[in-house]
Amino acid sequence: MITPKNKNNTVENVRNATKDISDIFRKHFYKIKSKYRYPYHVLRAVESICQCRTNSLGTQIYKCDSCGEEHEIAMSCGNRHCPKCQHEKRKDWLDKQIDRMLPIDYFHVVFTLPDSLNDLILHNQKILYGVLLKCVKETLIELGRDRMRADIGAIAILHTWGQNLSYHPHVHCVVTGGGINVDSKKWISSKKGYLLPVEVMSTLFKGKFLSYTKELQQKSTKRQGKDIP
């Protein structure tokens, strides 16, 4: 253990100096807000996070029945993007998933898209996020039935940022190491340390995403053509 050289470098002082995302937003976001165009939902999320647990949203007063001491607590924003508000919900969700886990092997599978598609996805988030998750689902189901003759299970989580907080949509999956046989309806375990062929999975996923994207583009082109007098 390293002892601090001066009293100002204590653990408590380090904690007090730590900034959370709301502090960063309040200090920097409004300086760059006018320089870029942000979607309404982004502005709303930032505004909520900045106001979370401040007097801006009001306060609640708790009073001790025994001594009468009062304690005032600022209200939370409740925004689903707020790390403060979602901390307990995230913990509860994780606990529920752990309770549902079977005594089997699980695999971590990540489906990602090339950076060259970032602009396209960023301007069509609602539609293409749905397409992305649909392709992930179909890829796992089809390969599970084709290679294992089984219906495998999975939990899929969409992430829209990378480790450096840059825009990088991808899907994390926790996949069961086996599934219910489509014929016998009995459990079939995957090979030890092996789920599905990565290259085949990648090719199938890529083909599906391109196919659905082209289909959407063709439908959009037809609609635009009909609107032209």
Side-chain angles (χ1 to χ4, degrees):
M1 179 177 179
I2 300 176
T3 304
K5 293 184 178 180
N6 59 69
K7 64 180 181 180
N8 293 325
N9 192 23
T10 62
V11 173
E12 189 61 34
N13 284 330
V14 171
R15 286 175 179 170
N16 291 336
T18 301
K19 301 294 184 181
D20 62 26
I21 192 170
S22 61
D23 296 318
I24 297 173
F25 279 159
R26 280 191 287 266
K27 184 176 181 180
H28 300 287
F29 183 76
Y30 295 103
K31 296 178 182 178
I32 63 173
K33 179 181 176 182
S34 59
K35 296 181 180 180
Y36 304 96
R37 296 179 61 185
Y38 293 96
Y40 171 73
H41 70 275
V42 172
L43 296 175
R44 182 179 178 184
V46 172
E47 189 71 26
S48 296
I49 292 172
C50 287
Q51 294 179 344
C52 187
R53 299 186 185 180
T54 67
N55 292 338
S56 300
L57 299 178
T59 60
Q60 288 182 328
I61 297 178
Y62 293 85
K63 184 176 181 180
C64 178
D65 294 334
S66 300
C67 67
E69 181 179 353
E70 294 184 349
H71 184 60
E72 186 176 13
I73 298 179
M75 299 288 287
S76 301
C77 67
N79 191 285
R80 69 187 185 93
H81 298 93
C82 178
K84 292 178 182 177
C85 293
Q86 299 304 317
H87 176 74
E88 288 300 322
K89 291 183 179 179
R90 180 182 62 182
K91 182 178 179 300
D92 291 342
W93 183 86
L94 286 173
D95 290 341
K96 289 180 181 178
Q97 306 314 310
I98 292 174
D99 290 340
R100 296 172 60 188
M101 292 184 70
L102 302 172
I104 59 173
D105 291 333
Y106 284 85
F107 292 84
H108 179 210
V109 182
V110 181
F111 292 86
T112 187
L113 296 170
D115 293 341
S116 56
L117 295 177
N118 281 358
D119 286 342
L120 175 65
I121 300 172
L122 190 59
H123 289 84
N124 300 274
Q125 295 180 53
K126 185 175 182 179
I127 296 175
L128 292 183
Y129 287 161
V131 171
L132 174 57
L133 289 168
K134 182 179 181 180
C135 293
V136 169
K137 174 185 174 182
E138 292 184 357
T139 297
L140 291 174
I141 289 177
E142 290 181 20
L143 280 182
R145 291 178 177 177
D146 180 61
R147 298 300 175 116
M148 299 170 56
R149 294 291 297 166
D151 287 325
I152 59 179
I155 298 174
I157 305 295
L158 171 67
H159 280 190
T160 56
W161 62 91
Q163 292 181 342
N164 60 355
L165 297 184
S166 62
Y167 186 65
H168 177 58
H170 58 285
V171 177
H172 288 266
C173 300
V174 178
V175 186
T176 57
I180 303 298
N181 183 270
V182 295
D183 300 315
S184 66
K185 305 303 179 183
K186 294 182 179 180
W187 177 263
I188 297 179
S189 296
S190 61
K191 296 179 181 179
K192 189 67 176 179
Y194 179 83
L195 180 64
L196 296 167
V198 176
E199 291 186 2
V200 176
M201 194 185 317
S202 176
T203 301
L204 181 59
F205 169 73
K206 177 181 177 181
K208 285 182 174 295
F209 189 84
L210 289 175
S211 177
Y212 283 127
T213 304
K214 289 180 180 178
E215 182 180 336
L216 287 171
Q217 184 182 30
Q218 291 172 355
K219 290 181 179 179
S220 176
T221 302
K222 289 181 180 179
R223 285 198 300 268
Q224 291 176 3
K226 290 181 180 179
D227 292 337
I228 298 175

